[in-house]
Amino acid sequence: MKKLAIRDQSACMFCLTCENACAQAFYKGENTQKQDLSCIHVLGTDVPNKFKITVCVQCGKCSKACEAGAITQNAQGVYMLNKKLCVNCGKCLEACPFGVMVKAEDKPSPTKCIACGICVKACPQDVLYIKEDAKEAAKATA
């Protein structure tokens, strides 16, 4: 199974480069408080200089919630959204336990992490990585 993972959350500097790289890749724009366009979230905590990173773990809850069948798992175990099949009901957004499925107000369908690695490459602290487990991927497609 291929998915985005966190290597060292304590190394996060809250620079939000990962969020902006994701937003730029999917929407050609910056992530802002007004419009959340990133499929990765970095949030402040009550502890100074400690941040909480939330990523898609490819759990499939969005797929189960999608009555249109627009979200399916590929051979690598990544849940992909087929925008042509999406009816924009928003059930996948509600079903995501991590709140990392996003939808721009001016777009017809939501976006989810596809484990592309753009955020990984953007992170100056090497906080993120793409985890690939062939055994889990084989189970997912069986």
Side-chain angles (χ1 to χ4, degrees), residues 8-140:
D8 183 6
Q9 190 156 271
S10 67
C12 179
M13 304 180 315
F14 200 62
C15 68
L16 305 179
T17 305
C18 57
E19 283 191 5
N20 286 322
C22 181
Q24 187 68 35
F26 280 113
Y27 293 108
K28 308 296 182 233
E30 293 247 332
N31 204 48
T32 65
Q33 286 183 338
K34 181 181 173 199
Q35 182 86 10
D36 185 9
L37 302 176
S38 176
C39 299
I40 180 172
H41 294 152
V42 182
L43 304 169
T45 66
D46 293 338
V47 179
N49 298 317
K50 184 171 179 159
F51 309 102
K52 171 84 172 126
I53 303 167
T54 309
V55 299
C56 176
V57 297
Q58 305 298 335
C59 68
K61 290 184 179 179
C62 56
S63 178
K64 290 180 182 101
C66 181
E67 294 174 6
I71 303 173
T72 56
Q73 192 174 35
N74 70 13
Q76 289 86 28
V78 177
Y79 284 90
M80 305 290 288
L81 173 72
N82 182 332
K83 293 182 182 192
K84 291 179 182 174
L85 296 177
C86 179
V87 296
N88 196 19
C89 66
K91 290 182 181 178
C92 58
L93 296 165
E94 294 170 10
C96 179
F98 305 104
V100 291
M101 282 206 67
V102 297
K103 183 179 178 309
E105 294 169 4
D106 63 338
K107 299 296 181 190
S109 58
T111 304
K112 70 167 299 302
C113 177
I114 57 171
C116 67
I118 287 174
C119 57
V120 173
K121 291 175 188 160
C123 178
Q125 294 297 103
D126 200 30
V127 172
L128 307 166
Y129 70 104
I130 297 295
K131 180 179 181 180
E132 295 189 57
D133 185 343
K135 290 180 188 175
E136 282 186 41
K139 279 188 223 173

